[in-house]
Amino acid sequence: MTNAVTYESRDGIAIITINREDRMNAIGPEVEAGLAHAWQRLRDSAEDRVGILTGAGSKAFSAGKDMASTAPPDYRSFTPNVGVLLEKPLIAAVSGWCIGGSIVLTLMCDLCVVTEDAKFTYPEAKLGFAGGMIASAAARIPHKVAMELMLLGETITAQRAYDIGMVNRVVPPGEHMNEAMKLARRLAANAPLVMTMLKRLAAQTTPMSPVEIAGHAWRENQRVFESADFSEGLASFSEKRPPVFSGR
């Protein structure tokens, strides 16, 4: 892991933290790479059954895109359940501001705990840029609320987020991780095969935005391009011999 994203394994629970408190946990290239690696590690872990995603400090879960970076964020690569398929439960623990594309990260989690002072806003329409992954909100919260969030860029309070089903728990400031850990421990004690099945079926039931669908296709392409068979195919062509594929 990088310093921009930390991964702590605790009693079968992976605590994944965007660790840029001085930048309100803004998402730049290091955070993107760190999150992508964290999802891979959680996916492949034999001991971690549940993940918690949070941001360092109490001021912000994340300010969204790091405006100091000129590179556009590639949400396909580091959004959980898009760039990396996660069949383990994932909880978002939010304190303070959750801005722009970081809302996408919370929407793609299975559960969400927020503090009473948490605020959600998506200002991209006012700023003149957007990646489009936020459109998946229309399948996860009421349509009119999703359109208000995306097009008007107004702030949604923690209480309203709870009322519209965007979050599961609202807790006093500073208590988001305690509550998330309580939920995570309960999940970690459940039957993994049942939770995996239910999460997989729920994913097949929930509609996807075109950008989310493209992200899933991108993930499958990456599997091929990073495979031993891809390397074998190139090598056999250059060496003018029949390929010997392994399925890996």
Side-chain angles (χ1 to χ4, degrees), residues 83-195:
V84 176
L85 181 62
L86 278 179
E87 295 189 330
K88 298 174 181 179
L90 185 60
I91 304 169
V94 177
S95 176
W97 285 100
C98 184
I99 301 173
S102 68
I103 296 176
V104 174
L105 299 180
T106 67
L107 289 173
M108 294 300 177
C109 293
D110 302 296
L111 300 175
C112 185
V113 176
V114 304
T115 56
E116 294 168 344
D117 58 354
K119 296 181 179 66
F120 298 83
T121 186
Y122 187 82
E124 269 77 341
K126 299 178 180 178
L127 299 174
F129 64 83
M133 191 75 77
I134 190 68
S136 295
R140 290 167 171 80
I141 59 177
H143 175 263
K144 295 295 187 293
V145 179
M147 300 310 293
E148 176 186 340
L149 173 69
M150 291 186 287
L151 302 183
L152 289 178
E154 295 181 347
T155 299
I156 292 179
T157 64
Q159 185 58 50
R160 188 167 186 226
Y162 177 80
D163 292 340
I164 63 175
M166 193 171 173
V167 308
N168 302 89
R169 302 282 193 278
V170 180
V171 297
E175 290 297 312
H176 55 300
M177 280 302 298
N178 288 336
E179 184 66 21
M181 286 297 294
K182 289 179 184 177
L183 293 173
R185 291 188 186 100
R186 291 166 60 186
L187 290 170
N190 288 346
L193 287 178
V194 174
M195 292 194 297

